[in-house]
Every structure is written in structure tokens, then in C-alpha cells.
Amino acid sequence: GPAMNALRDRPETEPVWAVVALKSPEHAKSRLAGWLNPAQRRRLLFTLAERSIRALHATPGIGAVHVVSASSEVAEFASALGARPLLQDAEGGTASAFAFALEQLRPQCPPKLLMLAGDLPLVGASALQSLCDAARHAQVVIVPDRHRLGTNALLCSPPAIVTPSFGRDSFDRHRLAARSAKLQTRILQMDALTLDLDLPEDFDELRRLSAASFESLMAVLRTSERTTVHHEQDAAAAAI
């Protein structure tokens, strides 16, 4: 409405640049290997990645959208969805992917940078806008995973104010780094951003929070059940 537009158009509200870190398809979701076959894990990667990229594009407070990956296939996929790819030489984990992105974007001086996980099944524009709004009153906004161990989103103003340290126990590492630097920090928790899909029990939590989201995702994965290795690429293409 008009009030929201007035808020959005305030001159001091600088756009937030976004980066999504995505693994190569062959390395994605290895902790689900006993539960999903390679074609399903591949399809899961691309389905969730597309959801994140589309949600970022739909968020008024987000400016440029980037995807960092060591996979040229993922880079092409991101470009097709209107994201700017940042291609790494080698796979090195999420923290190093975001460090690489920071280095690549530094010459362009983005005022604020959102580093976002690419495996959030409930991510949407309203949750991402809440994140952008929180950054208007804080230098660092941290979104933990649902166990408050990992980090699903880190928004920094300016971008390099906290060193990205994703992975297990990164929520505490990010929080302590911000505190020791005496930075204004907000912790944001909402189901749309705290649920990621790493383990089979995360799918149970998805079903509990949103039966419709769970069913639509499972329908996508079921079509991969009998997919052979030769048809993996076709399956991924059909999913996006």
C-alpha cells in the first residue's frame, strides 16, 4: 500500500545486494544420500535454488542478486533466472564461497550484502523484506537455523564488517564476532528462513509447518525416483 511505498522510497534505504551460495550438483545434499538417490538430490538442489532466487527477485528491498558456485552448470542455471553468477575455481564450502563473493563484489562497493543459504524450502519475499527492514536499524542481521547452530542468512552493512563463517556452530561465531566488534546486531528467527533441508527429519519439520509445501516438493522428488544417471540432466531441467 501507500505507506509501504513511502517506506520503501525513503532515500536512506539503500538496496541490499544478495548472494546465494550453491554447491555443485554432484556434491549437493550428501547427508541425504541414504534417503534420496543422486537424481533426487540434484533435483532438490535446483528446485530450492530456484525458489531462493525467485524470492530474492520478488523482494522490494533487494537490489542485485548473485549466485556463487564452483559449478558452471549452476552458473548457467542462475543466469537463466536473472541472477549474476560468480564462478569459483574449486568447491571449498559455504564460508569460502561467500568470502570469494565478497572479494569479487568489493570493487562495486555494495552498501549492504545478504549472504543466503540456497536450501530454504519456505523462503519468500515477505520474510526477506523483514530481513532487509531489520538491516535499516542494525549493522549485522543474523538468521540462525532452527537448531540455533548454523546460519541461514547473514546481512552485513557494510558487507565485510563480519567475516562469513558458515557451517556448524557458525551462529555463535557470527554473533560473537559482531559483539566483539561492538556492532549493532539483530537476531531474526522466522520459519520461512530458519528451516533448511539437510537431514530427513528436516522434511518432517517441513510437513509440520506447511503440508502443501511438503507435498509439492515430494511430488517433484518422486518423479526422480526411477531416473537413471543418463537422464539426470533432463530431470533437473524438467524441475526448473
Side-chain angles (χ1 to χ4, degrees):
M4 191 63 209
N5 289 336
L7 202 66
R8 200 181 302 153
D9 294 337
R10 279 170 61 176
E12 69 268 28
T13 307
E14 297 170 300
V16 175
W17 290 31
V19 180
V20 181
L22 296 174
K23 288 187 176 175
S24 301
E26 61 272 20
H27 296 132
K29 296 296 157 200
S30 55
R31 284 190 283 173
L32 290 168
W35 197 63
L36 298 177
N37 68 33
Q40 289 172 316
R41 297 200 307 276
R42 177 192 174 86
R43 184 171 277 211
L44 181 65
L45 168 81
F46 284 111
T47 302
L48 296 178
E50 177 170 5
R51 184 177 179 97
S52 291
I53 293 167
R54 290 194 187 282
L56 287 165
H57 280 315
T59 305
I62 297 290
V65 178
H66 302 79
V67 167
V68 59
S69 179
S71 163
S72 55
E73 183 187 4
V74 168
E76 287 172 24
F77 167 85
S79 293
L81 289 171
R84 303 174 189 176
L86 302 169
L87 190 59
Q88 290 176 281
D89 290 336
E91 193 99 34
T94 307
S96 73
F98 284 129
F100 174 81
L102 277 170
E103 194 62 41
Q104 294 294 301
L105 296 176
R106 184 172 293 144
Q108 297 165 63
C109 301
K112 304 178 180 187
L113 188 68
L114 167 61
M115 291 165 266
L116 184 70
D119 60 349
L120 312 179
L122 297 175
V123 67
S126 62
L128 292 172
Q129 187 58 46
S130 297
L131 194 48
C132 293
D133 292 342
R136 292 167 60 181
H137 310 290
Q139 295 159 288
V140 179
V141 185
I142 311 168
V143 179
D145 64 16
R146 68 191 181 98
H147 306 291
R148 289 177 74 89
L149 293 173
T151 304
N152 284 352
L154 179 66
L155 202 169
C156 296
S157 323
I161 203 165
V162 168
T163 302
S165 168
F166 284 73
R168 189 167 177 82
D169 299 326
S170 63
F171 175 51
D172 278 343
R173 285 196 298 274
H174 287 138
R175 203 168 40 166
L176 291 171
R179 185 187 301 161
S180 64
K182 296 183 169 53
L183 302 173
Q184 292 171 292
T185 306
R186 285 279 306 277
I187 310 300
L188 207 60
Q189 275 193 273
M190 49 179 75
D191 291 335
L193 299 174
T194 57
L195 177 63
D196 51 14
L197 297 181
D198 285 325
L199 298 166
E201 50 263 38
D202 296 327
F203 286 79
D204 296 332
E205 181 68 4
L206 175 59
R207 178 165 42 192
R208 188 184 74 77
L209 291 171
S210 172
S213 297
F214 172 81
E215 286 304 333
S216 65
L217 184 58
M218 294 311 291
V220 166
L221 297 180
R222 272 193 292 270
T223 61
S224 298
E225 269 176 8
R226 291 168 300 280
T227 308
T228 65
V229 174
H230 299 294
H231 295 115
E232 274 185 40
Q233 199 147 359
D234 297 339
I240 60 180

